[in-house]
């Protein structure tokens, strides 16, 4: 056994020496086309030139500026934690994760999906563009969350964002998807491309609104990545901190339509109270039978620091806001 081990070691050393000779003799060089393609195919993550991200033109680490967390639950005991399947708190300035529960567990996002829908819309279209609502987009199920759009309605993409993020309109989500990509299916492909570019590799999206599909899923950490990216878009942050919006647009006959859209976030509409010193800026709710009660929230903590906090699959609305209130204290 000992002799065999020595032979193996000598063979390995000789092989390594041979490779070193071949690489260093200067007679022949080999160059890999894409030795480490961290950026995939996204056009948003092309290699920076000197003067952009780094003055020497080097590529920064993908996780620069992100909160990075291991796949392990934190030791902190939070009241009400047992009422939700997964949760996380992300301190954006400190790049820390003070609380984690099932951060990477595959779960259904419900309407928190619309964070990504809004992000894709902002990046891929002009918010002043006029969108004509199709019959398919307007024809949502009777129990579906909608903002009251009708076939032939004409409104700006910006107005649709308010209907999407405040009223959680599935009709608005469908209209956005059709306008940008021609169909919900094509838009979902774009959603997945953008999610992958942001590092959200535990997710898959098949529609723009979050109605249940077994193949439509995410996790707490991926949802943090999506919301963190969306918050860098000024208009997204402006919309989510709005409690009510007076929408104005025209119908199929050219007549004026005016609607009052209100946020579904109970911290913003006054139905839930944040802890003392915490300023809830906004976020996105989501609820389906399979997803339970979900909330992705952006706030400033008592120290004035920006925080993203997420709860997925709470067992009730009261549990959701009770647990989120505790997380906002961390």
């Amino acid at each position: 056994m000992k002799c065999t081990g020595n032979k193996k070691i000598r063979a390995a050393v000789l092989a390594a020496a041979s490779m070193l000779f071949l690489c260093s003799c200067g007679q022949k060089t080999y160059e890999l086309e894409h030795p480490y393609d961290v950026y995939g195919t996204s056009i948003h993550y092309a290699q920076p030139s000197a003067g952009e991200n780094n003055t020497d033109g080097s590529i920064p680490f993908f996780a620069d500026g992100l909160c990075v967390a291991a796949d392990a639950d934190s030791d902190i005991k939070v009241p009400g934690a047992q009422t939700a399947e997964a949760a996380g708190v992300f301190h954006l300035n400190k790049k820390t994760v003070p609380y984690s529960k099932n951060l990477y567990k595959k779960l259904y996002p419900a309407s928190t999906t619309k964070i990504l829908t809004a992000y894709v819309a902002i990046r891929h279209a002009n918010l002043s563009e006029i969108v004509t609502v199709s019959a398919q987009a307007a024809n949502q199920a009777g129990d579906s969350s909608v903002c009251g759009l009708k076939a032939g309605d004409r409104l700006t993409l910006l107005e649709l964002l308010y209907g999407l993020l405040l009223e959680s309109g599935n009709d608005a989500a469908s209209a956005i998807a059709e306008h940008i990509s021609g169909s919900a299916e094509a838009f979902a492909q774009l959603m997945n491309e953008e999610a992958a570019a942001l590092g959200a590799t535990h997710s898959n999206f098949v529609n723009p609104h979050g109605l249940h599909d077994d193949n439509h899923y995410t996790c707490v950490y991926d949802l943090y990545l999506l919301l963190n990216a969306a918050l860098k878009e000024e208009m997204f942050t402006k919309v989510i901190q709005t409690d009510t919006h007076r929408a104005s647009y025209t119908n199929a006959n050219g007549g004026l339509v005016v609607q009052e859209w209100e946020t579904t976030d109970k911290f913003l509409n006054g139905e839930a109270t944040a802890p003392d010193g915490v300023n809830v800026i906004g976020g996105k709710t989501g609820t389906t039978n399979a997803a339970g009660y979900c909330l992705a929230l952006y706030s400033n903590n008592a120290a004035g620091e920006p925080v993203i906090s997420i709860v997925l699959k709470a067992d009730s609305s009261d549990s959701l806001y009770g647990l989120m209130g505790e997380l906002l204290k961390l």
Side-chain angles (χ1 to χ4, degrees):
M1 294 293 292
K2 188 173 182 180
C3 179
T4 302
N6 287 337
K7 287 181 179 178
K8 289 182 178 180
I9 293 172
R10 285 197 297 270
V13 171
L14 287 173
S18 298
M19 289 299 295
L20 180 61
F21 173 76
L22 288 173
C23 294
S24 62
C25 65
Q27 295 180 354
K28 196 168 187 178
T29 59
Y30 298 89
E31 183 175 344
L32 298 178
E33 185 178 357
H34 299 293
Y36 187 36
D37 186 11
V38 281
Y39 300 109
T41 58
S42 173
I43 61 173
H44 305 308
Y45 292 88
Q47 180 174 335
S49 59
E52 289 184 356
N53 294 334
N54 289 347
T55 56
D56 60 357
S58 62
I59 302 176
F61 287 113
F62 185 84
D64 275 1
L66 295 176
C67 302
V68 178
D71 188 7
D73 293 351
S74 58
D75 295 329
I76 298 176
K77 303 300 181 183
V78 175
Q82 74 283 356
T83 65
E85 190 70 23
V89 177
F90 306 86
H91 282 196
L92 304 188
N93 286 354
K94 296 177 181 176
K95 313 293 188 298
T96 58
V97 185
Y99 181 78
S100 60
K101 177 182 179 180
N102 293 329
L103 285 187
Y104 299 97
K105 183 173 183 177
K106 183 176 80 173
L107 293 168
Y108 302 119
S111 285
T112 60
T113 296
K114 290 163 183 164
I115 293 170
L116 179 56
T117 300
Y119 176 76
V120 173
I122 292 170
R123 293 187 68 89
H124 289 268
N126 189 317
L127 297 184
S128 64
E129 293 175 12
I130 300 298
V131 179
T132 300
V133 179
S134 72
Q136 182 173 348
N139 185 25
Q140 300 292 320
D143 60 348
S144 182
S145 175
V146 296
C147 55
L149 300 178
K150 307 296 182 184
D153 284 348
R154 289 172 52 81
L155 65 170
T156 65
L157 187 58
L158 178 58
E159 289 282 38
L160 283 174
L161 283 187
Y162 280 100
L164 176 81
L165 295 172
L166 270 63
E167 287 281 349
S168 200
N170 296 337
D171 45 359
S174 297
I176 289 170
E178 291 176 2
H179 176 74
I180 292 176
S181 299
S183 70
E185 294 76 17
F187 187 80
Q189 181 177 346
L190 189 56
M191 293 171 72
N192 286 317
E193 290 174 358
E194 289 288 355
L198 294 171
T201 57
H202 294 76
S203 299
N204 187 65
F205 300 93
V206 300
N207 62 58
H209 38 62
L211 286 177
H212 181 71
D213 187 294
D214 286 347
N215 291 317
H216 187 101
Y217 54 83
T218 190
C219 66
V220 167
Y221 189 77
D222 281 12
L223 196 53
Y224 147 70
L225 292 174
L226 301 180
L227 180 53
N228 184 59
L231 289 169
K232 292 179 172 60
E233 303 294 338
E234 181 180 357
M235 190 52 68
F236 177 88
T237 304
K238 179 180 179 180
V239 172
I240 64 166
Q241 63 185 303
T242 305
D243 54 356
T244 61
H245 174 72
R246 186 177 178 86
S248 179
Y249 54 93
T250 60
N251 60 24
N253 298 319
L256 179 65
V257 179
V258 177
Q259 289 203 69
E260 292 286 341
W261 288 334
E262 298 180 357
T263 181
T264 58
D265 185 337
K266 292 186 177 182
F267 284 118
L268 290 187
N269 66 21
E271 294 183 40
T273 303
D276 290 342
V278 174
N279 176 33
V280 173
I281 298 170
K284 186 69 195 77
T285 61
T287 308
T288 65
N289 290 335
Y293 293 81
C294 308
L295 178 59
L297 203 64
Y298 176 52
S299 61
N300 287 327
N301 63 16
E305 301 163 328
V307 178
I308 287 175
S309 46
I310 296 169
V311 174
L312 293 182
K313 204 173 184 180
D315 58 20
S316 70
S317 179
D318 287 344
S319 295
L320 173 68
Y321 285 92
L323 175 55
M324 185 61 81
E326 295 296 330
L327 297 180
L328 291 174
K329 299 175 183 177
L330 299 178

